[in-house]
Amino acid sequence: MSETVLQLKGVTKLYNKGLAGEIQVLRGVDLRLKAGEMVALVAPSGAGKSTLLHIAGLLDTPDAGTVEIGGQQLSGKSDRQRTKARRQDIGFVYQFHHLLPEFSAEENIALPQMANGVSRGAAVARGQALLETVGVAHRAGHRPAELSGGEQQRVAFCRALANAPRILLADEPTGNLDPTTSDQVFDALMTLVRETGLAALVATHNMELAARMDRIVKLENGVLVAG
C-alpha cells in the first residue's frame, strides 16, 4: 500500500473583503495524497484552487485544520520549519515558467540544488538526467528566451523536481500553451511523476488532461468532492 505523503484535514480559509465582510474560500477541506499518485484538482476560476495549493505547499496557513507531510503536522510550525519542509519535500510548477532569464536551462535546474549544498558537478548531472527524461537535454545550454513555450515549461518541471521532492504541486501547468504543446508537456510531466514516484496534485481546467490522471477531485463551495 502506498505511503500517504500529503494529508489535509478540515482545512478552512477565510478572507476579509472589507465592506463585503469575510469570505470563506475553503470550508473544511480533506485530502489524502499518496506516493506515486497523480490527482487532478478541478474548479471554476476564483473557487480557491490556488489558495488550496498554497496551503498544501506551506506557502500559506489555514485558519483551521492541519497540513501533514509524511505524517508530520506542519501547518502550525514556525516559518523556519515550514520553509525547511517546503525546500526538501515540495516542488512547485505554475502556469508561467518563472525561469531565471540570465541563466541557461541547465543552470536553472542546478541552482536550487546548489543552494541545498549539492556540488555543481552533481547538480549539473542531475539536471541533465531530468532534461533527458522530458526530451530537451539538447537545449541544456540555452537561456529561456531561446526556448519555445513548451520547452520552457518542461525545464520548469525539471527545476521543480531538482531537489527530489516527495510532492509536486502544479497550478494550471499547461494553461498557457496551445492544445498540441499542452499534450506534449503533460506527457513529459506524467513521465517525471511515474519515474520518480512522487505524489502530484495538478490544478487544471482541461478535463481531457484531468481524465488521464489517477483520479479527479473537485472544489465545490469550499469543499473537495470526488470527480
Side-chain angles (χ1 to χ4, degrees), residues 147-163:
L147 304 174
S148 70
E151 289 170 338
Q152 290 170 347
Q153 196 64 316
R154 277 179 268 189
V155 174
F157 292 163
C158 294
R159 182 185 57 184
L161 300 188
N163 286 322

Side-chain angles (χ1 to χ4, degrees), residues 29-30 40-42 215-227:
V29 168
D30 295 315
L41 172 61
V42 176
R215 59 188 172 98
I216 299 172
V217 293
K218 294 182 179 180
L219 190 56
E220 296 181 353
N221 297 318
V223 297
L224 282 183
V225 297

Side-chain angles (χ1 to χ4, degrees), residues 46-210:
K49 292 194 306 294
S50 295
T51 298
L52 178 57
L53 288 173
H54 287 167
I55 289 174
L58 307 177
L59 291 169
D60 198 357
T61 55
D63 293 310
T66 59
V67 179
E68 297 179 8
I69 295 178
Q72 182 182 8
Q73 205 280 97
L74 288 162
S75 50
K77 300 295 184 181
S78 68
D79 286 346
R80 182 177 179 180
Q81 289 171 304
R82 289 189 293 117
T83 297
K84 181 181 179 181
R86 190 165 59 242
R87 184 183 299 131
Q88 291 179 341
D89 294 324
I90 302 168
F92 294 92
V93 177
Y94 299 97
Q95 181 173 343
F96 300 99
H97 57 78
H98 299 301
L99 297 171
L100 298 173
E102 66 272 30
F103 294 103
S104 68
E106 181 180 88
E107 290 167 335
N108 266 279
I109 301 168
L111 286 170
Q113 300 176 72
M114 294 166 66
N116 258 10
V118 176
S119 70
R120 181 178 179 84
V124 168
R126 174 162 173 78
Q128 283 282 357
L130 287 168
L131 289 170
E132 186 74 42
T133 300
V134 298
V136 290
H138 62 294
R139 307 289 276 164
H142 292 72
R143 293 183 181 182
E146 301 170 311
L147 304 174
S148 70
E151 289 170 338
Q152 290 170 347
Q153 196 64 316
R154 277 179 268 189
V155 174
F157 292 163
C158 294
R159 182 185 57 184
L161 300 188
N163 286 322
R166 292 194 286 176
I167 302 163
L168 178 69
L169 301 174
D171 195 355
E172 298 287 352
T174 63
N176 195 41
L177 304 172
D178 64 79
T180 299
T181 304
S182 176
D183 284 344
Q184 294 170 346
V185 168
F186 185 76
D187 286 343
L189 178 59
M190 286 196 74
T191 298
L192 284 172
V193 170
R194 299 310 186 203
E195 292 198 1
T196 57
L198 81 169
L201 181 62
V202 183
T204 182
H205 280 106
N206 189 323
M207 292 306 297
E208 289 184 9
L209 295 185

